[in-house]
Amino acid sequence: MKKGFVVLLTILTFAFLQASTLNVLLWDDALTQALRAGLAEFEKTTGIKVNLELVPSGTLLQKTLMSVSPNSADYDLIAVDEPNIPMVAPLLIGFDEWPQTKFFLRPPMSDIMPLALSAGQWKGKFMGLPVNANIYVWLTRKDIIERYKDEFKAQYGYEMRVPKTLQELLEMSEFLSKKGIYGWAPFTKPTEGATCEAVWMFESFGTKVLEVDERGYRVVLDKKKAIEAIEFYKKLLKYAPEGALDFGHAERMAAFSSGKVFSMFNWPALIPDLENPDKSLVYGKIVYTQPPAGPAKTAAIRGAWIVAIPKAAKNKTAAAEFAYWWMSIETGKKLIPKGLTPARESLLKDPEFLKDRPWFNGIYLSMMYAVERPRFEYYPEVSTIVRTHWLDAISGRVAPEVAIDRMVNEINALLKKYGY
């Protein structure tokens, strides 16, 4: 009898320890490092011990697929980069199935911008919460505008300003090239950033790459518009820094922070370094907005991170508590000074934070024009095809029409490969 009681007590103790421990897998950057700094508060409030694992964003998907399946999960809460939602969705419970919580309330959906919320949507169902409004923000040097606005107006008929259109960007770049200033800095390394550049330009010129509806997937890339986008991008490249065909985040940041570049895109997580007087010559000289409009529309590439609960998670309630704590106004106010980028509109527009973080306004404005990268279960393969032929075209290695034909044909072959 005594032995049976001991066994039962051991089982109950183990179950309690399981229930009070939360395993979380996230990407590693300033935002999640800030989150780690606030874990003690969450643990004190809830009594839940958090095992937080941070891995480089480039390896997160692989780590997730190795650790989570429909029947088992090493983690109770995971982060998913939005292009990978279609691939990971079968492993997740829908957001409407998240359990009731005791300590933290579900954030009001009205305080999360609609185009941020849609980052976590797949086939009409929300699969998680967008915990940060990650989107390409447009940066422009306001000191350069002030210095040259009148001289520019004398030549072009309007004052230099934050470029409202891509055509204005081109004209300002042409003008500034005679002053020893590069008009903009591209992203041309053969990584995901180049795919973002391609999608940005295609969307700005009025065409998508891939669409999905109740009938399935369809390649919808308009050849004429895609070629126009490529040709325009090649014009802009004439006014980019030396070595522009091998530019990634590091090269762009170095060129901009040294004062050599007028305007460019940047992810929010990278912006604080540009406003750091110890790292940047242009701190306090940048205005943050949505990107210039193309002939068809304004398009800002979204890259929101979604937190989601696996179907096989052992501690779903604790996972929901953690996500809601992360999204709360109180947590946001405490962690924003440590590097957190909020997803809630009220925090992005809070004057207290805008004073020291003017790029929050750029996040808010850009999210009004958010566009997604192609949604597909095997997105990494689509991304590789898009950027390979985009880079071939803008570099002049291949004629634009040939590159677009190859892009379309290879994506169609990929659809066929996976039975679509």
Side-chain angles (χ1 to χ4, degrees), residues 130-148:
V131 286
N132 73 326
N134 199 34
I135 193 164
Y136 260 165
V137 175
W138 192 260
L139 289 59
T140 307
R141 290 274 301 284
K142 55 188 175 184
D143 59 317
I144 291 177
I145 292 174
E146 288 301 313
R147 190 185 316 158
Y148 293 113

Side-chain angles (χ1 to χ4, degrees), residues 331-388:
T331 298
K333 287 186 174 182
K334 291 177 182 177
L335 296 186
I336 283 171
K338 299 180 184 295
L340 185 75
T341 301
R344 295 183 65 160
E345 181 177 331
S346 56
L347 287 172
L348 287 172
K349 296 170 72 174
D350 189 323
E352 176 187 350
F353 298 121
L354 277 172
K355 181 174 60 177
D356 297 324
R357 295 165 180 78
W359 61 90
F360 277 19
N361 184 58
I363 294 172
Y364 173 75
L365 292 174
S366 289
M367 194 58 75
M368 307 293 284
Y369 303 96
V371 295
E372 62 188 17
R373 283 162 278 175
R375 290 278 173 123
F376 185 55
E377 285 94 332
Y378 304 94
Y379 169 76
E381 294 180 65
V382 172
S383 178
T384 298
I385 292 170
V386 169
R387 67 172 171 261
T388 296

Side-chain angles (χ1 to χ4, degrees), residues 167-276:
Q167 183 60 37
E168 287 186 4
L169 173 63
L170 182 63
E171 291 169 356
M172 293 174 195
S173 299
E174 179 185 51
F175 171 85
L176 290 171
S177 68
K178 300 166 188 174
K179 309 295 181 182
I181 300 169
Y182 299 108
W184 76 303
F187 193 111
T188 51
K189 285 190 180 293
T191 62
E192 185 64 19
T195 304
C196 291
E197 295 281 281
V199 173
W200 164 51
M201 289 300 290
F202 290 156
E203 290 272 1
S204 298
F205 278 77
T207 184
K208 294 182 178 296
V209 175
L210 188 67
E211 284 188 347
V212 60
D213 55 28
E214 64 279 356
R215 295 172 294 174
Y217 294 97
R218 292 178 296 119
V219 179
V220 294
L221 191 63
D222 183 286
K223 185 174 181 178
K224 180 175 181 294
K225 293 175 181 178
I227 290 173
E228 289 173 355
I230 290 168
E231 294 293 2
F232 193 90
Y233 197 89
K234 290 171 70 175
K235 291 178 182 178
L236 285 175
L237 280 172
K238 295 177 183 177
Y239 306 110
E242 186 177 351
L245 287 177
D246 189 31
F247 255 47
H249 289 310
E251 291 78 11
R252 294 162 76 242
M253 286 284 287
F256 198 89
S257 62
S258 64
K260 298 176 182 178
V261 174
F262 174 58
S263 61
M264 70 174 193
F265 278 126
N266 216 343
W267 292 114
L270 300 174
I271 289 174
D273 279 349
L274 294 175
E275 294 290 355
N276 184 338

Side-chain angles (χ1 to χ4, degrees), residues 1-21:
M1 183 74 175
K2 186 176 180 181
K3 182 178 179 182
F5 176 76
V6 171
V7 171
L8 178 61
L9 183 62
T10 302
I11 293 172
L12 290 174
T13 302
F14 178 73
F16 174 78
L17 289 172
Q18 270 197 318
S20 61
T21 301

